[in-house]
């Protein structure tokens, strides 16, 4: 016959872990564009508690208003360049302005956010034993000499240009992630995000999709920066969030490209927005900014094979969803032709 033993008495700490059904997740930069969509998705899981820290440089409480006051949600005004003491299981580290006009506005602050901010979040991950995901960028490939870009490509980056605070900042952030991983055994994940668009982007943040949609809705000319033949690949935000969660919860450190391989010239994008929103607006060529990468398209073989992920929303499907959000925020109702 079998002997049934009483279960071992857990220590108070293990006991609380035993009943801790929740995963407590920190999202830095969670009041921003991608961060707030990520928070929405994480909060849908009742086993998750979500803590957002944000300094509101480019993000806003408005993006999180449906969660404020929710018992599983906490919002902290905090700058990641300062140390942070919280107890969490996972860290999605997004805090960093993403739009060129914002990251160039205070480049020294941008590099501090990338370097000191990432160092602090790694110190936190080390202290509490959390897994940490960094949202790096396709900008680590610079003005790429290989096309499309896969994760083995080391990049072609200007170390002293006006974009360097962002792209070199992210490269150092990736280095820090791998050094903490090798030296301290921290569990890391690195996503290299390619251009992402969708509802809640800052209307005047200067990025191309938000600019063109806002311009078309305001009846202004679409400003294609010369020459207009430069390319980008645009990923809809729900696909991006799905990829980030798969990367965090999977077994691979990365870096892994997350983006949509559909590649468009800026002239093609302008023509598409024009056709979808207002065929009467004009497209004009304006001066470009220095160091603008000429082409960018992710090789997502790794994401497909290791994460079972690929984007689902095509540009022509995503743009109208963003148009709808911009119409509401700009107060421009849709015209009915019939
Ligand atoms: P965003 O500007 O909307 O969000 C960034 C958030 O970080 C904002 O809420 C901002 O207030 C906050 N923040 C900035 N500096 C901070 C600091 N020092 N302390 C605390 N909070 C701070 O940008 P996003 O498009 O949501 O980008 C999110 C992340 O994804 C960024 O790390 C960005 O580099 C990366 N990324 C985005 C894209 C894209 O196309 N959107 C492309 C590549 C990489
Ligand atoms: N840090 C933090 N929260 C923590 C633990 C550390 O913000 O819970 C910061 C800490 O202030 C330090 C950085 O993370 O500046 C790196 O920490 P680490 O312990 O790796 O290095 P050290 O403190 O020894 O320099
Ligand atoms: N761009 C444009 N018109 C605009 C804003 C940007 O033609 O009003 C171009 C810009 O020159 C670049 C591309 O769009 O080639 C993407 O720029 P964005 O600032 O959106 O992102 P990033 O350069 O970081 O990819």
């Amino acid at each position: 016959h079998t002997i049934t033993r009483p279960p071992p008495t857990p220590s108070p700490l293990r006991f609380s872990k035993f009943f801790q059904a929740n995963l407590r997740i920190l999202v830095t930069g969670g009041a921003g564009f991608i961060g707030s969509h990520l928070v929405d998705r994480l909060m849908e899981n009742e086993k998750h508690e979500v803590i957002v820290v944000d300094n509101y440089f480019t993000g806003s409480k408005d993006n999180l208003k449906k969660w404020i006051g929710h018992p599983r949600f906490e919002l902290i005004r905090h700058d990641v360049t300062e140390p942070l003491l919280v107890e969490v299981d996972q860290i999605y580290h997004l805090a960093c302005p993403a739009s060129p006009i914002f990251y160039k506005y205070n480049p020294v602050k941008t590099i501090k956010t990338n370097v000191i901010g990432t160092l602090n979040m790694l110190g936190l991950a080390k202290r509490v034993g959390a897994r940490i995901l960094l949202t790096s960028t396709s900008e680590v490939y610079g003005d790429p000499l290989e096309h499309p870009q896969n994760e083995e490509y080391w990049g072609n980056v200007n170390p002293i240009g006006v974009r360097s605070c962002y792209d070199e900042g992210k490269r150092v952030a990736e280095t820090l992630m791998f050094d903490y991983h090798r030296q301290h055994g921290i569990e890391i994940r690195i996503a290299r995000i390619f251009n992402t668009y969708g509802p809640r982007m800052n209307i005047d943040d200067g990025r191309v999709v938000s600019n063109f949609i806002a311009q078309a809705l305001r009846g202004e000319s679409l400003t294609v920066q010369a020459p207009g033949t430069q390319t980008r690949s645009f990923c809809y935000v729900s696909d991006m969030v799905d990829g980030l969660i798969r990367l965090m919860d999977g077994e691979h450190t990365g870096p892994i490209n997350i983006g949509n391989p559909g590649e468009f010239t800026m002239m093609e994008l302008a023509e598409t927005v024009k056709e979808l929103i207002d065929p009467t607006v004009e497209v004009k060529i304006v001066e470009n900014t220095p160091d603008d990468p000429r082409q960018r398209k992710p090789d997502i073989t790794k994401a497909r094979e290791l994460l079972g992920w690929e984007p689902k929303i095509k540009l022509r499907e995503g743009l109208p969803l963003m148009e709808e959000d911009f119409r509401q925020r700009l107060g421009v109702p849709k015209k009915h032709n019939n």
Side-chain angles (χ1 to χ4, degrees):
H1 49 263
T2 54
I3 304 167
T4 46
R5 289 174 206 254
T9 314
S11 73
L13 193 69
R14 296 203 51 162
F15 190 73
S16 69
K17 270 270 179 216
F18 186 74
F19 284 101
Q20 194 184 7
N22 289 353
L23 204 53
R24 197 178 293 154
I25 303 173
L26 172 65
V27 181
T28 76
F33 160 53
I34 299 177
S36 63
H37 285 278
L38 173 65
V39 168
D40 288 350
R41 189 77 67 83
L42 294 172
M43 284 294 294
E44 281 167 16
N45 185 329
E46 289 185 1
K47 291 197 159 119
H48 291 162
E49 284 176 28
V50 176
I51 302 177
V52 166
V53 305
D54 204 293
N55 69 354
Y56 307 123
F57 174 46
T58 52
S60 124
K61 279 186 202 172
D62 218 37
N63 289 336
L64 295 167
K65 60 176 183 279
K66 74 176 184 199
W67 303 117
I68 292 171
H70 193 288
R72 290 187 285 108
F73 179 76
E74 234 170 298
L75 179 57
I76 305 171
R77 177 192 288 266
H78 176 82
D79 194 304
V80 292
T81 59
E82 301 295 335
L84 175 69
L85 292 175
V86 290
E87 312 303 312
V88 292
D89 304 293
Q90 290 185 341
I91 303 168
Y92 285 91
H93 178 40
L94 280 70
C96 176
S99 163
I101 59 166
F102 288 120
Y103 70 65
K104 290 176 188 170
Y105 168 76
N106 185 344
V108 173
K109 179 68 196 222
T110 301
I111 199 144
K112 281 187 186 172
T113 296
N114 277 318
V115 179
I116 303 172
T118 303
L119 182 73
N120 284 334
M121 293 310 102
L122 283 162
L124 170 66
K126 186 176 95 180
R127 183 178 61 80
V128 302
R131 182 179 289 183
I132 177 169
L133 180 149
L134 170 74
T135 50
S136 185
T137 169
S138 55
E139 301 260 338
V140 300
Y141 302 123
D143 190 1
L145 304 176
E146 283 183 17
H147 196 72
Q149 294 81 51
N150 70 36
E151 294 84 350
E152 274 64 52
Y153 179 51
W154 288 357
N156 177 37
V157 180
N158 177 358
I160 56 169
V162 292
R163 296 174 90 104
S164 310
C165 59
Y166 184 73
D167 46 36
E168 294 285 29
K170 290 282 188 182
R171 287 168 69 95
V172 174
E174 289 197 13
T175 309
L176 279 168
M177 294 281 287
F178 267 90
D179 282 337
Y180 267 75
H181 174 60
R182 285 183 289 246
Q183 197 172 329
H184 299 302
I186 306 299
E187 285 194 58
I188 59 158
R189 302 287 182 266
I190 297 177
R192 290 193 180 143
I193 297 182
F194 283 66
N195 297 58
T196 304
Y197 70 101
R200 294 190 199 146
M201 281 182 92
N202 275 319
I203 287 174
D204 294 306
D205 86 353
R207 279 184 276 184
V208 68
V209 183
S210 45
N211 269 9
F212 286 177
I213 291 189
Q215 287 162 345
L217 292 175
R218 287 166 172 155
E220 297 166 4
S221 304
L222 309 190
T223 53
V224 172
Q225 293 174 349
T229 49
Q230 71 273 32
T231 67
R232 292 293 188 277
S233 306
F234 299 100
C235 184
Y236 191 68
V237 67
S238 59
D239 283 332
M240 178 55 55
V241 165
D242 185 35
L244 294 178
I245 293 176
R246 277 172 191 251
L247 175 60
M248 174 66 103
D249 293 341
E251 296 309 313
H252 302 276
T253 59
I256 296 191
N257 290 338
I258 315 251
N260 191 321
E263 185 184 11
F264 299 87
T265 68
M266 294 311 103
M267 194 50 103
E268 285 168 343
L269 177 68
E271 292 297 337
T272 308
V273 169
K274 176 178 159 139
E275 181 200 318
L276 285 171
I277 298 181
D278 183 353
T280 66
V281 295
E282 284 177 15
V283 175
K284 69 172 177 197
I285 302 277
V286 299
E287 202 183 327
N288 205 338
T289 54
D291 288 342
D292 185 40
R294 279 160 290 181
Q295 50 181 9
R296 195 184 284 152
K297 168 189 166 123
D299 177 333
I300 59 163
T301 311
K302 247 182 145 178
R304 281 201 180 100
E305 287 174 359
L306 301 180
L307 308 178
W309 176 88
E310 63 181 5
K312 298 192 181 81
I313 313 272
K314 293 194 189 72
L315 188 62
R316 279 184 175 271
E317 296 163 351
L319 288 175
L321 303 171
M322 185 160 163
E323 174 192 346
E324 181 58 36
D325 170 66
F326 270 45
R327 279 191 187 280
Q328 280 179 19
R329 286 197 280 156
L330 288 169
V332 181
K334 209 169 172 93
K335 286 192 207 114
H336 291 285
N337 298 328
N338 43 359

